[in-house]
Amino acid sequence: MSESALLSNAPELSVSELSGALKRAIEDQFGHVRLRGEISNYRGPHSSGHCYFSLKDASARIDAVIWKGTFSRLRTRPQEGLEVIATGRITTFPGKSSYQIVIEQLEPAGLGALMALLEERRKKLAAEGLFDEARKKKLPFLPRVIGIVTSPTGAVIRDILHRLNDRFPRHVLVWPVRVQGETSAAEVAAAIRGFNALAPSGAIPRPDLLIVARGGGSLEDLWSFNEEEVLRAAAASEIPLISAIGHETDWTLLDQVADLRAPTPTGAAEKAVPVRSELLADLADRARRHDAAALRLLDRRRADLRGLARALPAPETLLATPSQRLDRAGDRLRAALAAGRSRRELALAQASRLLARHAPHAELQRAAGRLQTMLFRFAAARAGLLEKRRERLATLGARFDAARLARLALLRNELRAKAERAGALGARADAAVAAILARRRDRLAHADQLLAAVGYEAVLGRGFALVRDDSDAPVRSVAQAPEGARLTLQFADGRVAAIAGAPLGAPSPAPAGKKRYAPAKERPALARKARESGQGSLF
């Protein structure tokens, strides 16, 4: 059978059927794969939450996608230029006829990539000031409550609790977290923020100090404590924080952000609290030294007091002169009291004589007599004044009535004269208005006739047309209508559009039976003839 016959017998496939067959073949053949490559064209999550980028090596490139739900669970987030190992499944995208990898897990490709990522993150956070010593807080000398963020099942928490009990037992709150794995960083950051969110006087006491601890491990094992989420939560913590990650040789970025780094979890417990027995011994030593110093001070003060007492004179000698001054002052005081009493008695006698001369009841009687006299005089004066006011009021009333009647008569006469004058003026005004209106009507009728005679509408009614250009301005000469110009011809009953042609060299002969109009040069003569015959000019 020929090749053309074979091709003619092959089944026809649509583009969608072929794309689906290729998709099933690729997914069945490869399934899950692990790819190592460098991230390229990464611009962050799309508005939908999905991530689109490429994985490439020296000679090939493949599209990659991370769905929104998978992206939120990734331990290592994609970054431009980062070499990674991606685990996922190969599939196709029919819309572009291309294949791609749907990534389900992402991890750095080897220690070198992790160190490069770590150094880049360290420089970024250092530029933001998260490692500055000025922002770090001082640890409390003896915290009342200590919060520990670590795994509840490892040896780390037992070592810390054992060391705290040996040194100085304190109230300990443990926030259990995973210290390794995909969700480790999110849990540690949530624990730090959770301790800070506790109320100081709530049912669960707020810690005065936080310890974030983990045992030793490789860089990959400790990577959760290099995640930016944990570092920013530690930097934002209002509670002083001790980092105790790994052994003394292990270093993470959390050690640089924390307020204090402890080489081991046990060392963190030692830095968190002092030794109680040492404090008690130091306190006892200080109390003993205080008592001895107090005794020595008392002895010295007694010796000083005895020396001063020997230097003081006898009490009788000190009090002799003041006693004498007191006696003399007592004698002068008695004489002064007697003289003062005599002066007060003399002043009292003088005041008594004056009071007897101006006794209150006598003053009241004299004031009552003066008041009665004034009342009588006031009543007489009031009666006379009222009588005078009545007489004056009667005189003024008579004068006012006479003046009012005279004024009313005068006003009536003036009003009558003004009414007569107003009637005469009204008649004259009516006649004048009628004459003015008649003249105005005549002038209006004459103007209307003149407008009808000289207006261009009447001319259009006799067969003429008015030519206007595209701006609706009248065209007065051939120069204003070049060839090809758009014109409007206005007749008496409407307008039509026209396009100007080439100027004519000579007037065309008039058709038979129609009147030929005179050229422009003959129009003045025709106008004069029209005036002589009594016909008005149209121009």
Side-chain angles (χ1 to χ4, degrees):
M1 185 178 294
S2 64
E3 184 178 355
S4 59
L6 289 174
L7 292 176
S8 63
N9 291 331
E12 294 180 356
L13 297 177
S14 66
V15 176
S16 298
E17 292 173 345
L18 180 60
S19 298
L22 290 174
K23 180 180 179 69
R24 289 190 296 274
I26 291 177
E27 291 179 352
D28 294 342
Q29 177 66 28
F30 292 97
H32 279 74
V33 297
R34 284 170 58 86
L35 292 181
R36 181 182 184 126
E38 179 183 336
I39 294 177
S40 176
N41 295 328
Y42 178 69
R43 299 293 182 269
H46 192 265
S47 59
S48 62
H50 310 314
C51 295
Y52 303 97
F53 54 93
S54 302
L55 290 177
K56 67 178 183 178
D57 56 13
S59 58
R61 173 180 171 275
I62 183 174
D63 292 335
V65 58
I66 302 177
W67 302 128
K68 178 180 179 180
T70 305
F71 181 78
S72 62
R73 297 192 303 270
L74 287 181
R75 178 181 175 184
T76 300
R77 299 296 173 89
Q79 295 186 18
E80 179 69 19
L82 180 64
E83 187 176 2
V84 296
I85 297 176
T87 303
R89 52 189 177 83
I90 301 296
T91 183
T92 64
F93 180 53
K96 291 176 57 179
S97 296
S98 63
Y99 64 93
Q100 62 186 10
I101 178 173
V102 179
I103 297 177
E104 298 176 355
Q105 186 177 355
L106 198 67
E107 55 185 300
L111 186 60
L114 282 179
M115 292 302 295
L117 180 60
L118 183 65
E119 181 62 19
E120 181 182 357
R121 187 169 296 170
R122 187 191 67 78
K123 290 179 180 179
K124 174 185 175 183
L125 298 180
E128 295 181 13
L130 267 65
F131 300 156
D132 293 345
E133 292 294 331
R135 56 159 295 278
K136 296 188 177 182
K137 297 172 285 295
K138 185 179 179 181
L139 302 184
F141 175 72
L142 186 60
R144 182 176 57 88
V145 179
I146 299 175
I148 301 176
V149 179
T150 188
S151 173
T153 58
V156 171
I157 184 63
R158 292 194 297 271
D159 292 342
I160 294 176
L161 294 177
H162 177 71
R163 196 58 175 164
L164 289 176
N165 288 329
D166 287 345
R167 293 175 65 85
F168 205 121
R170 294 281 84 190
H171 186 187
V172 175
L173 295 177
V174 179
W175 194 299
V177 297
R178 294 183 179 89
V179 294
Q180 185 175 344
E182 293 182 359
T183 62
S184 172
E187 293 182 10
V188 172
I192 296 174
R193 289 192 293 266
F195 273 132
N196 279 271
L198 292 176
S201 58
I204 300 177
R206 184 183 184 183
D208 302 317
L209 180 68
L210 295 183
I211 298 176
V212 180
R214 188 205 187 282
S218 63
L219 179 61
E220 291 84 353
D221 296 336
L222 304 179
W223 189 254
S224 298
F225 301 95
N226 292 319
E227 292 291 350
E228 190 170 343
E229 182 180 9
V230 175
L231 303 179
R232 294 194 180 278
S237 174
E238 298 178 358
I239 305 173
L241 187 143
I242 298 177
S243 171
I245 308 301
H247 302 299
E248 188 170 0
T249 57
D250 296 327
W251 276 88
T252 64
L253 293 180
L254 181 61
D255 296 332
Q256 302 182 48
V257 176
D259 300 303
L260 182 67
R261 176 195 180 258
T264 61
T266 304
E270 294 175 353
K271 293 179 180 295
V273 295
V275 180
R276 186 173 184 274
S277 59
E278 293 178 357
L279 289 179
L280 292 175
D282 182 66
L283 182 62
D285 181 64
R286 290 177 182 271
R288 184 175 61 257
R289 291 169 59 191
H290 177 271
D291 294 342
L295 291 176
R296 288 195 300 272
L297 180 62
L298 288 175
D299 292 340
R300 187 163 58 251
R301 292 289 187 270
R302 289 192 190 97
D304 295 341
L305 182 61
R306 284 194 296 269
L308 293 173
R310 286 193 298 270
L312 289 175
E316 294 79 5
T317 305
L318 294 174
L319 296 177
T321 302
S323 298
Q324 186 177 2
R325 286 199 299 269
L326 181 61
D327 294 339
R328 294 182 63 182
D331 295 339
R332 290 197 300 271
L333 179 61
R334 283 192 293 272
L337 289 174
R341 186 178 60 184
S342 299
R343 289 194 298 272
R344 296 294 185 275
E345 290 175 352
L346 179 60
L348 182 60
Q350 293 177 354
S352 298
R353 289 193 297 271
L354 291 174
L355 185 61
R357 190 182 309 123
H358 302 286
H361 61 278
E363 292 291 336
L364 288 175
Q365 290 178 357
R366 288 193 292 272
R370 290 195 298 271
L371 181 61
Q372 290 295 333
T373 303
M374 292 177 66
L375 289 175
F376 178 75
R377 292 173 62 185
F378 174 74
R382 182 171 64 87
L385 182 62
L386 288 176
E387 185 63 26
K388 291 180 180 179
R389 293 291 174 85
R390 288 192 192 95
E391 294 176 357
R392 185 178 179 183
L393 184 62
T395 303
L396 292 174
R399 292 172 61 186
F400 176 74
D401 291 340
R404 183 172 60 83
L405 293 175
R407 181 65 178 170
L408 287 175
L410 180 61
L411 291 176
R412 289 193 190 94
N413 294 333
E414 291 180 355
L415 185 61
R416 190 179 299 109
K418 289 181 178 181
E420 294 174 355
R421 184 179 178 185
L425 291 175
R428 292 172 60 187
D430 293 340
V433 170
I436 291 172
L437 289 176
R439 287 197 299 272
R440 294 293 173 86
R441 289 191 190 95
D442 293 341
R443 289 173 61 185
L444 182 60
H446 182 266
D448 190 20
Q449 294 174 1
L450 182 60
L451 178 62
V454 300
Y456 74 92
E457 289 87 353
V459 177
L460 296 179
R462 292 197 293 272
F464 291 93
L466 177 60
V467 182
R468 298 178 183 271
D469 59 11
D470 55 355
S471 62
D472 207 30
V475 178
R476 302 181 184 274
S477 66
V478 175
Q480 293 180 341
E483 183 177 359
R486 295 182 179 274
L487 303 176
T488 302
L489 303 181
Q490 181 177 354
F491 297 93
D493 57 349
R495 297 186 179 192
V496 294
I499 298 176
L504 300 178
S508 59
K514 291 191 176 180
K515 181 180 178 181
R516 179 179 179 274
Y517 292 99
K521 293 182 180 180
E522 299 177 4
R523 288 178 184 173
L526 293 175
R528 285 194 301 272
K529 186 177 180 180
R531 283 196 300 270
E532 293 173 358
S533 63
Q535 180 179 355
S537 174
L538 296 179
F539 304 99

